[in-house]
Amino acid sequence: ANKVLKITSASIYQSSGNSMSQNRLSLKIGNHVVFIVDGVSAETKQNSFPLWLESGNHSVLVSKGLIGTADLTWSISGVEFNVVQW
């Protein structure tokens, strides 16, 4: 209610498990893919920040594709603002 979220950064990495050379990690907030690590192409793609979100609940999806199991470490940083209407 009269608040917005400013996401300032996000990251994900594989902290243990199978080799990253055949895996793809992704971090998604709502409909926004904010961070991808592609082990096949050795590319890291990051959303342009800041990402502004309306108030309310937002699902966070952390996924690892392709091969095996792994421990993943991820983070999201942001600030909540009150919206003042005059």
Coordinates of all heavy atoms in Angstrom, one line a residue:
A1 N 0.8 -1.2 0.0 CA 0.0 0.0 0.0 C 0.9 1.2 0.0 O 1.6 1.5 1.0 CB -0.9 0.0 1.2
N2 N 0.9 1.9 -1.1 CA 1.7 3.1 -1.3 C 3.2 2.9 -1.0 O 3.8 3.8 -0.4 CB 1.2 4.3 -0.4 CG -0.2 4.7 -0.9 OD1 -0.6 4.5 -2.1 ND2 -1.0 5.3 0.0
K3 N 3.7 1.8 -1.5 CA 5.1 1.5 -1.4 C 5.6 1.0 -2.7 O 4.8 0.4 -3.5 CB 5.4 0.4 -0.3 CG 5.1 0.9 1.1 CD 5.3 -0.2 2.1 CE 4.9 0.2 3.5 NZ 5.9 0.8 4.3
V4 N 6.9 1.1 -3.0 CA 7.5 0.6 -4.1 C 8.8 -0.1 -3.7 O 9.4 0.3 -2.7 CB 7.8 1.6 -5.3 CG1 6.5 2.1 -5.9 CG2 8.6 2.7 -4.8
L5 N 9.3 -1.1 -4.4 CA 10.6 -1.7 -4.2 C 11.6 -1.4 -5.3 O 11.2 -1.5 -6.4 CB 10.4 -3.2 -4.1 CG 9.5 -3.8 -3.0 CD1 9.2 -5.3 -3.3 CD2 10.0 -3.5 -1.7
K6 N 12.7 -0.9 -4.9 CA 13.8 -0.6 -5.8 C 14.9 -1.7 -5.6 O 15.6 -1.8 -4.7 CB 14.4 0.7 -5.5 CG 15.6 1.1 -6.4 CD 16.2 2.4 -6.0 CE 17.3 2.8 -6.9 NZ 18.0 4.1 -6.4
I7 N 14.9 -2.7 -6.6 CA 15.9 -3.7 -6.6 C 17.2 -3.2 -7.2 O 17.2 -2.7 -8.3 CB 15.4 -5.0 -7.3 CG1 14.1 -5.5 -6.8 CG2 16.5 -6.1 -7.3 CD1 14.1 -5.9 -5.4
T8 N 18.3 -3.2 -6.4 CA 19.5 -2.5 -6.8 C 20.5 -3.5 -7.4 O 21.4 -3.1 -8.1 CB 20.1 -1.7 -5.7 OG1 20.3 -2.6 -4.5 CG2 19.2 -0.6 -5.3
S9 N 20.4 -4.8 -7.0 CA 21.4 -5.8 -7.5 C 20.8 -7.2 -7.2 O 20.0 -7.4 -6.3 CB 22.8 -5.7 -6.9 OG 22.8 -6.0 -5.6
A10 N 21.3 -8.2 -8.0 CA 21.0 -9.6 -7.7 C 22.1 -10.4 -8.3 O 22.8 -10.0 -9.3 CB 19.7 -9.9 -8.4
S11 N 22.4 -11.6 -7.7 CA 23.4 -12.5 -8.2 C 23.1 -13.9 -7.8 O 22.3 -14.1 -6.9 CB 24.8 -12.1 -7.7 OG 24.9 -12.2 -6.3
I12 N 23.7 -14.8 -8.5 CA 23.5 -16.3 -8.2 C 24.8 -17.0 -8.6 O 25.5 -16.6 -9.6 CB 22.3 -16.9 -8.9 CG1 22.1 -18.3 -8.6 CG2 22.4 -16.7 -10.4 CD1 20.9 -18.9 -9.1
Y13 N 25.3 -17.9 -7.8 CA 26.4 -18.7 -8.3 C 26.3 -20.1 -7.6 O 25.6 -20.3 -6.7 CB 27.7 -18.1 -7.9 CG 28.1 -18.0 -6.5 CD1 28.8 -19.0 -5.9 CD2 27.7 -16.9 -5.7 CE1 29.2 -18.9 -4.5 CE2 28.0 -16.8 -4.4 CZ 28.8 -17.8 -3.8 OH 29.1 -17.8 -2.4
Q14 N 26.9 -21.1 -8.3 CA 27.0 -22.4 -7.8 C 28.1 -22.6 -6.8 O 29.3 -22.4 -7.1 CB 27.2 -23.4 -9.0 CG 27.1 -24.8 -8.6 CD 27.1 -25.7 -9.8 OE1 26.4 -25.5 -10.7 NE2 28.0 -26.7 -9.8
S15 N 27.7 -22.9 -5.5 CA 28.8 -23.0 -4.5 C 29.4 -24.4 -4.4 O 30.4 -24.5 -3.8 CB 28.2 -22.5 -3.2 OG 26.9 -23.1 -2.9
S16 N 28.7 -25.4 -4.8 CA 29.2 -26.7 -4.9 C 28.4 -27.6 -5.8 O 27.3 -27.2 -6.2 CB 29.3 -27.4 -3.5 OG 28.0 -27.6 -3.0
G17 N 28.9 -28.8 -6.1 CA 28.2 -29.7 -7.0 C 28.9 -30.0 -8.3 O 30.1 -29.8 -8.4
N18 N 28.1 -30.4 -9.3 CA 28.7 -30.8 -10.6 C 29.3 -29.6 -11.3 O 29.0 -28.4 -10.9 CB 27.7 -31.4 -11.5 CG 27.2 -32.7 -11.0 OD1 27.6 -33.2 -10.0 ND2 26.3 -33.3 -11.8
S19 N 30.2 -29.8 -12.2 CA 30.8 -28.8 -13.0 C 29.8 -27.8 -13.6 O 28.7 -28.2 -14.0 CB 31.7 -29.4 -14.1 OG 32.1 -28.4 -15.0
M20 N 30.1 -26.5 -13.6 CA 29.3 -25.5 -14.2 C 29.4 -25.5 -15.7 O 28.6 -24.9 -16.4 CB 29.7 -24.1 -13.7 CG 28.9 -23.6 -12.6 SD 27.1 -23.5 -13.0 CE 27.0 -22.3 -14.3
S21 N 30.3 -26.3 -16.3 CA 30.5 -26.2 -17.8 C 29.3 -26.6 -18.6 O 29.2 -26.2 -19.7 CB 31.7 -27.0 -18.2 OG 31.4 -28.4 -17.9
Q22 N 28.4 -27.3 -18.0 CA 27.2 -27.7 -18.8 C 25.9 -27.2 -18.1 O 24.8 -27.7 -18.5 CB 27.1 -29.3 -18.9 CG 28.3 -29.8 -19.6 CD 28.3 -29.4 -21.1 OE1 27.3 -29.3 -21.8 NE2 29.5 -29.0 -21.6
N23 N 26.0 -26.3 -17.2 CA 24.8 -25.8 -16.5 C 24.4 -24.4 -16.7 O 25.3 -23.6 -17.2 CB 25.0 -26.1 -15.0 CG 24.8 -27.5 -14.6 OD1 23.9 -28.2 -15.0 ND2 25.7 -28.0 -13.7
R24 N 23.2 -24.1 -16.4 CA 22.7 -22.7 -16.6 C 21.9 -22.4 -15.3 O 21.0 -23.1 -14.9 CB 21.8 -22.6 -17.8 CG 21.2 -21.2 -18.0 CD 20.3 -21.2 -19.2 NE 19.7 -19.9 -19.3 CZ 19.6 -19.3 -20.4 NH1 20.1 -19.8 -21.5 NH2 19.0 -18.1 -20.4
L25 N 22.3 -21.3 -14.7 CA 21.6 -20.8 -13.4 C 20.8 -19.6 -13.8 O 21.3 -18.7 -14.6 CB 22.7 -20.5 -12.4 CG 23.7 -21.5 -12.0 CD1 24.7 -20.9 -11.0 CD2 23.1 -22.8 -11.5
S26 N 19.7 -19.4 -13.2 CA 18.9 -18.2 -13.4 C 18.2 -17.8 -12.1 O 17.9 -18.6 -11.2 CB 17.9 -18.3 -14.5 OG 16.9 -19.3 -14.2
L27 N 18.0 -16.5 -12.0 CA 17.3 -15.9 -10.8 C 16.2 -15.0 -11.4 O 16.5 -14.1 -12.2 CB 18.3 -15.1 -10.0 CG 17.8 -14.4 -8.8 CD1 17.1 -15.3 -7.8 CD2 18.9 -13.6 -8.1
K28 N 15.0 -15.2 -11.0 CA 13.9 -14.5 -11.5 C 13.0 -13.9 -10.4 O 12.8 -14.6 -9.4 CB 13.0 -15.5 -12.4 CG 11.9 -14.9 -13.2 CD 11.3 -16.0 -14.0 CE 10.1 -15.4 -14.8 NZ 9.4 -16.5 -15.6
I29 N 12.6 -12.7 -10.5 CA 11.7 -12.0 -9.6 C 10.4 -11.7 -10.3 O 10.4 -10.9 -11.3 CB 12.3 -10.7 -9.0 CG1 13.6 -11.0 -8.3 CG2 11.3 -10.1 -8.0 CD1 14.4 -9.8 -7.9
G30 N 9.3 -12.3 -10.0 CA 8.1 -12.1 -10.7 C 8.3 -12.6 -12.2 O 8.8 -13.7 -12.4
N31 N 8.0 -11.7 -13.1 CA 8.2 -11.9 -14.5 C 9.6 -11.4 -15.0 O 9.9 -11.5 -16.2 CB 7.1 -11.3 -15.4 CG 5.8 -11.9 -15.1 OD1 5.7 -13.1 -14.9 ND2 4.7 -11.1 -15.1
H32 N 10.4 -11.0 -14.1 CA 11.7 -10.4 -14.5 C 12.9 -11.3 -14.3 O 13.2 -11.7 -13.1 CB 12.0 -9.1 -13.7 CG 10.8 -8.1 -13.8 ND1 10.7 -7.2 -14.9 CD2 9.8 -7.9 -13.0 CE1 9.6 -6.5 -14.7 NE2 9.1 -6.8 -13.6
V33 N 13.5 -11.7 -15.3 CA 14.8 -12.5 -15.2 C 15.9 -11.5 -14.9 O 16.2 -10.6 -15.6 CB 15.1 -13.3 -16.5 CG1 16.5 -14.0 -16.3 CG2 14.0 -14.3 -16.8
V34 N 16.5 -11.6 -13.7 CA 17.4 -10.6 -13.2 C 18.9 -11.0 -13.3 O 19.8 -10.2 -13.3 CB 17.1 -10.1 -11.8 CG1 15.8 -9.4 -11.8 CG2 17.1 -11.2 -10.8
F35 N 19.1 -12.3 -13.4 CA 20.5 -12.8 -13.4 C 20.6 -14.2 -14.0 O 19.8 -15.0 -13.7 CB 21.1 -12.8 -12.0 CG 22.6 -12.7 -12.0 CD1 23.2 -11.5 -12.0 CD2 23.4 -13.9 -11.9 CE1 24.6 -11.4 -11.9 CE2 24.8 -13.8 -11.9 CZ 25.4 -12.6 -11.9
I36 N 21.5 -14.4 -15.0 CA 21.7 -15.7 -15.6 C 23.2 -15.9 -15.7 O 24.0 -15.1 -16.1 CB 21.1 -15.7 -17.1 CG1 19.6 -15.6 -17.0 CG2 21.5 -17.0 -17.8 CD1 19.0 -15.4 -18.4
V37 N 23.6 -17.1 -15.4 CA 24.9 -17.6 -15.6 C 24.8 -18.8 -16.5 O 24.2 -19.8 -16.1 CB 25.6 -18.0 -14.2 CG1 27.0 -18.5 -14.5 CG2 25.7 -16.9 -13.3
D38 N 25.4 -18.7 -17.6 CA 25.4 -19.8 -18.6 C 26.8 -20.5 -18.7 O 27.7 -19.9 -19.2 CB 25.0 -19.2 -20.0 CG 24.7 -20.3 -21.0 OD1 25.2 -21.5 -20.8 OD2 23.9 -20.1 -21.9
G39 N 26.9 -21.7 -18.1 CA 28.2 -22.3 -18.0 C 28.6 -22.8 -19.4 O 29.8 -23.0 -19.6
V40 N 27.7 -23.1 -20.3 CA 28.0 -23.6 -21.6 C 28.8 -22.5 -22.4 O 29.8 -22.8 -23.0 CB 26.8 -24.1 -22.4 CG1 27.1 -24.5 -23.8 CG2 26.1 -25.2 -21.6
S41 N 28.3 -21.3 -22.4 CA 28.9 -20.2 -23.2 C 29.8 -19.3 -22.3 O 30.4 -18.4 -22.8 CB 27.8 -19.3 -23.8 OG 27.1 -18.6 -22.8
A42 N 29.8 -19.6 -21.0 CA 30.6 -18.9 -20.0 C 30.2 -17.4 -20.0 O 31.0 -16.5 -19.7 CB 32.1 -19.0 -20.3
E43 N 28.9 -17.2 -20.2 CA 28.4 -15.8 -20.2 C 27.6 -15.6 -18.9 O 26.9 -16.5 -18.4 CB 27.4 -15.6 -21.3 CG 28.0 -15.2 -22.6 CD 26.9 -14.8 -23.6 OE1 26.4 -15.6 -24.3 OE2 26.6 -13.5 -23.6
T44 N 27.7 -14.4 -18.4 CA 26.8 -13.9 -17.3 C 26.0 -12.7 -17.8 O 26.6 -11.8 -18.3 CB 27.7 -13.5 -16.1 OG1 28.5 -14.6 -15.6 CG2 26.8 -12.9 -15.0
K45 N 24.7 -12.8 -17.6 CA 23.8 -11.7 -18.1 C 23.1 -11.2 -16.9 O 22.6 -12.0 -16.0 CB 22.8 -12.3 -19.1 CG 23.5 -12.8 -20.4 CD 22.5 -13.4 -21.3 CE 23.2 -14.0 -22.5 NZ 22.3 -14.7 -23.4
Q46 N 23.0 -9.9 -16.8 CA 22.4 -9.3 -15.6 C 21.4 -8.2 -16.1 O 21.7 -7.5 -17.1 CB 23.5 -8.6 -14.8 CG 23.0 -8.1 -13.5 CD 24.2 -7.7 -12.6 OE1 25.0 -8.5 -12.3 NE2 24.3 -6.4 -12.3
N47 N 20.2 -8.2 -15.5 CA 19.2 -7.2 -15.8 C 19.8 -5.8 -15.5 O 20.7 -5.6 -14.6 CB 18.0 -7.4 -14.9 CG 16.8 -6.6 -15.3 OD1 16.9 -5.6 -16.1 ND2 15.7 -7.0 -14.8
S48 N 19.3 -4.8 -16.2 CA 19.7 -3.4 -15.9 C 19.0 -3.0 -14.6 O 17.8 -3.1 -14.4 CB 19.3 -2.5 -17.0 OG 19.9 -2.8 -18.2
F49 N 19.8 -2.6 -13.7 CA 19.3 -2.1 -12.4 C 19.3 -0.6 -12.3 O 20.2 0.0 -13.0 CB 20.1 -2.7 -11.2 CG 19.9 -4.2 -11.1 CD1 20.9 -5.1 -11.6 CD2 18.8 -4.7 -10.6 CE1 20.7 -6.5 -11.5 CE2 18.6 -6.1 -10.5 CZ 19.6 -7.0 -11.0
P50 N 18.5 0.0 -11.6 CA 17.5 -0.6 -10.7 C 16.3 -1.1 -11.4 O 15.9 -0.7 -12.5 CB 17.1 0.6 -9.8 CG 17.2 1.8 -10.7 CD 18.4 1.5 -11.6
L51 N 15.7 -2.1 -10.7 CA 14.4 -2.7 -11.2 C 13.3 -2.2 -10.2 O 13.5 -2.5 -9.0 CB 14.5 -4.2 -11.2 CG 13.2 -5.0 -11.4 CD1 12.7 -4.7 -12.8 CD2 13.5 -6.5 -11.3
W52 N 12.3 -1.5 -10.6 CA 11.3 -1.0 -9.8 C 10.1 -2.0 -9.8 O 9.6 -2.4 -10.8 CB 10.8 0.4 -10.2 CG 11.9 1.4 -10.0 CD1 12.8 1.8 -10.9 CD2 12.1 2.2 -8.8 NE1 13.6 2.8 -10.4 CE2 13.2 3.0 -9.1 CE3 11.5 2.2 -7.6 CZ2 13.7 3.9 -8.1 CZ3 12.0 3.1 -6.6 CH2 13.1 3.9 -6.9
L53 N 9.6 -2.4 -8.6 CA 8.5 -3.3 -8.4 C 7.4 -2.6 -7.6 O 7.7 -1.9 -6.6 CB 8.9 -4.6 -7.8 CG 10.0 -5.4 -8.5 CD1 10.4 -6.5 -7.6 CD2 9.5 -5.9 -9.8
E54 N 6.2 -2.9 -7.9 CA 5.1 -2.3 -7.1 C 5.0 -3.1 -5.8 O 5.6 -4.1 -5.6 CB 3.7 -2.5 -7.9 CG 3.3 -3.9 -8.1 CD 4.0 -4.7 -9.2 OE1 4.8 -4.1 -10.0 OE2 3.8 -5.9 -9.4
S55 N 4.3 -2.5 -4.9 CA 4.2 -3.1 -3.6 C 3.4 -4.5 -3.7 O 2.7 -4.7 -4.7 CB 3.4 -2.2 -2.6 OG 2.1 -2.0 -3.0
G56 N 3.6 -5.3 -2.7 CA 2.9 -6.6 -2.7 C 3.9 -7.8 -2.7 O 5.1 -7.6 -2.5
N57 N 3.4 -8.9 -2.9 CA 4.2 -10.2 -2.9 C 4.8 -10.4 -4.3 O 4.1 -10.2 -5.3 CB 3.4 -11.4 -2.5 CG 2.9 -11.2 -1.0 OD1 3.6 -10.7 -0.2 ND2 1.7 -11.7 -0.8
H58 N 6.0 -10.9 -4.3 CA 6.7 -11.2 -5.6 C 7.4 -12.5 -5.4 O 8.1 -12.7 -4.5 CB 7.8 -10.1 -5.9 CG 7.2 -8.8 -6.1 ND1 6.6 -8.3 -7.3 CD2 7.0 -7.7 -5.2 CE1 6.1 -7.1 -7.1 NE2 6.4 -6.7 -5.9
S59 N 7.1 -13.4 -6.3 CA 7.7 -14.7 -6.3 C 9.2 -14.6 -6.7 O 9.5 -13.8 -7.6 CB 7.0 -15.7 -7.1 OG 7.0 -15.3 -8.5
V60 N 10.0 -15.4 -6.1 CA 11.4 -15.5 -6.5 C 11.7 -16.9 -7.0 O 11.4 -17.9 -6.2 CB 12.4 -15.1 -5.3 CG1 13.8 -15.4 -5.7 CG2 12.2 -13.7 -4.9
L61 N 12.2 -17.1 -8.2 CA 12.5 -18.4 -8.7 C 14.0 -18.5 -9.0 O 14.6 -17.7 -9.7 CB 11.7 -18.7 -10.0 CG 12.0 -20.0 -10.7 CD1 11.6 -21.2 -9.9 CD2 11.3 -20.0 -12.1
V62 N 14.6 -19.5 -8.3 CA 16.0 -19.8 -8.5 C 16.1 -21.2 -9.2 O 15.5 -22.1 -8.8 CB 16.8 -19.9 -7.2 CG1 18.2 -20.3 -7.4 CG2 16.7 -18.5 -6.5
S63 N 16.7 -21.2 -10.4 CA 16.7 -22.5 -11.1 C 18.1 -22.8 -11.7 O 18.9 -22.0 -11.9 CB 15.7 -22.5 -12.3 OG 16.1 -21.5 -13.2
K64 N 18.3 -24.1 -11.8 CA 19.5 -24.7 -12.3 C 19.1 -25.7 -13.4 O 18.4 -26.6 -13.1 CB 20.4 -25.4 -11.2 CG 21.6 -26.0 -11.7 CD 22.2 -26.9 -10.6 CE 22.6 -28.2 -11.0 NZ 22.1 -28.9 -12.2
G65 N 19.6 -25.5 -14.6 CA 19.2 -26.4 -15.7 C 20.3 -27.5 -15.9 O 21.4 -27.5 -15.4
L66 N 19.8 -28.5 -16.7 CA 20.6 -29.5 -17.3 C 21.1 -30.6 -16.3 O 20.3 -31.5 -16.1 CB 21.8 -28.9 -18.1 CG 21.4 -28.0 -19.2 CD1 22.7 -27.5 -19.9 CD2 20.5 -28.6 -20.2
I67 N 22.3 -30.6 -15.8 CA 22.9 -31.8 -15.3 C 23.1 -31.8 -13.7 O 23.6 -30.8 -13.2 CB 24.3 -32.0 -15.9 CG1 24.1 -32.2 -17.4 CG2 25.0 -33.2 -15.3 CD1 25.4 -32.2 -18.2
G68 N 22.8 -32.8 -13.1 CA 23.1 -33.1 -11.7 C 22.5 -32.2 -10.7 O 21.5 -31.5 -10.9
T69 N 23.1 -32.2 -9.5 CA 22.6 -31.4 -8.4 C 23.7 -30.4 -8.0 O 24.8 -30.6 -8.3 CB 22.2 -32.3 -7.2 OG1 23.4 -33.0 -6.7 CG2 21.1 -33.2 -7.5
A70 N 23.3 -29.4 -7.2 CA 24.3 -28.4 -6.8 C 23.7 -27.5 -5.7 O 22.5 -27.4 -5.5 CB 24.6 -27.5 -8.0
D71 N 24.6 -27.0 -4.9 CA 24.2 -26.0 -3.9 C 24.3 -24.6 -4.6 O 25.4 -24.3 -5.2 CB 25.1 -26.0 -2.7 CG 24.9 -27.3 -1.9 OD1 23.8 -27.8 -1.9 OD2 25.9 -27.8 -1.3
L72 N 23.3 -23.8 -4.5 CA 23.3 -22.5 -5.1 C 23.3 -21.4 -4.0 O 22.6 -21.6 -3.0 CB 22.1 -22.3 -6.0 CG 21.9 -23.4 -7.1 CD1 20.6 -23.1 -7.9 CD2 23.1 -23.4 -8.0
T73 N 24.0 -20.4 -4.3 CA 24.0 -19.2 -3.4 C 23.5 -18.0 -4.2 O 23.9 -17.8 -5.3 CB 25.4 -18.9 -2.9 OG1 25.9 -20.1 -2.1 CG2 25.4 -17.7 -1.9
W74 N 22.5 -17.3 -3.7 CA 21.9 -16.2 -4.4 C 21.6 -15.0 -3.4 O 21.5 -15.2 -2.2 CB 20.7 -16.6 -5.2 CG 19.6 -17.2 -4.4 CD1 19.5 -18.5 -4.0 CD2 18.4 -16.6 -3.9 NE1 18.4 -18.8 -3.3 CE2 17.7 -17.6 -3.2 CE3 18.0 -15.3 -3.9 CZ2 16.5 -17.3 -2.6 CZ3 16.8 -15.0 -3.3 CH2 16.0 -16.0 -2.6
S75 N 21.6 -13.8 -4.0 CA 21.2 -12.7 -3.2 C 20.4 -11.7 -4.0 O 20.6 -11.6 -5.2 CB 22.5 -12.0 -2.6 OG 23.2 -11.4 -3.7
I76 N 19.6 -10.9 -3.3 CA 18.9 -9.8 -3.9 C 19.0 -8.6 -2.9 O 18.7 -8.8 -1.7 CB 17.4 -10.2 -4.1 CG1 17.2 -11.3 -5.1 CG2 16.6 -9.0 -4.6 CD1 15.8 -11.9 -5.1
S77 N 19.4 -7.5 -3.4 CA 19.4 -6.3 -2.6 C 18.5 -5.3 -3.1 O 18.3 -5.1 -4.3 CB 20.9 -5.7 -2.7 OG 21.8 -6.6 -2.2
G78 N 17.9 -4.6 -2.2 CA 16.9 -3.5 -2.6 C 16.5 -2.6 -1.4 O 16.9 -2.9 -0.3
V79 N 15.7 -1.7 -1.7 CA 15.2 -0.7 -0.8 C 13.7 -0.5 -1.0 O 13.2 -0.5 -2.1 CB 15.9 0.7 -1.0 CG1 15.4 1.7 0.1 CG2 17.4 0.5 -0.9
E80 N 12.9 -0.4 0.1 CA 11.5 -0.2 0.0 C 11.3 1.3 0.3 O 11.8 1.9 1.2 CB 10.8 -1.0 1.1 CG 9.3 -0.8 1.1 CD 8.6 -1.6 2.2 OE1 8.8 -1.3 3.3 OE2 7.8 -2.5 1.8
F81 N 10.5 1.9 -0.6 CA 10.2 3.4 -0.4 C 8.7 3.5 -0.1 O 7.8 2.8 -0.7 CB 10.5 4.1 -1.7 CG 11.9 4.2 -2.0 CD1 12.6 3.3 -2.8 CD2 12.7 5.3 -1.5 CE1 13.9 3.4 -3.0 CE2 14.0 5.4 -1.8 CZ 14.6 4.5 -2.5
N82 N 8.4 4.5 0.7 CA 7.0 4.9 0.9 C 6.7 6.0 -0.2 O 7.5 6.9 -0.4 CB 6.8 5.5 2.3 CG 6.9 4.5 3.4 OD1 6.3 3.4 3.3 ND2 7.6 4.8 4.4
V83 N 5.5 5.8 -0.8 CA 5.1 6.8 -1.8 C 4.2 7.8 -1.2 O 3.1 7.4 -0.6 CB 4.4 6.1 -3.0 CG1 3.9 7.1 -4.0 CG2 5.3 5.1 -3.7
V84 N 4.6 9.1 -1.2 CA 3.8 10.1 -0.6 C 3.1 10.8 -1.7 O 3.6 11.3 -2.7 CB 4.7 11.1 0.2 CG1 3.8 12.2 0.8 CG2 5.5 10.4 1.3
Q85 N 1.7 10.9 -1.6 CA 0.9 11.7 -2.5 C 0.5 13.0 -2.0 O 0.0 13.0 -0.8 CB -0.3 10.8 -3.0 CG 0.2 9.5 -3.7 CD -1.0 8.7 -4.1 OE1 -2.1 8.9 -3.7 NE2 -0.7 7.7 -4.9
W86 N 0.6 14.0 -2.7 CA 0.3 15.4 -2.2 C -1.1 15.8 -2.7 O -1.5 15.5 -3.7 CB 1.3 16.4 -2.7 CG 2.7 16.1 -2.2 CD1 3.6 15.3 -2.8 CD2 3.2 16.6 -1.0 NE1 4.7 15.2 -2.0 CE2 4.5 16.0 -0.9 CE3 2.8 17.4 0.0 CZ2 5.4 16.3 0.2 CZ3 3.6 17.6 1.1 CH2 4.9 17.1 1.2

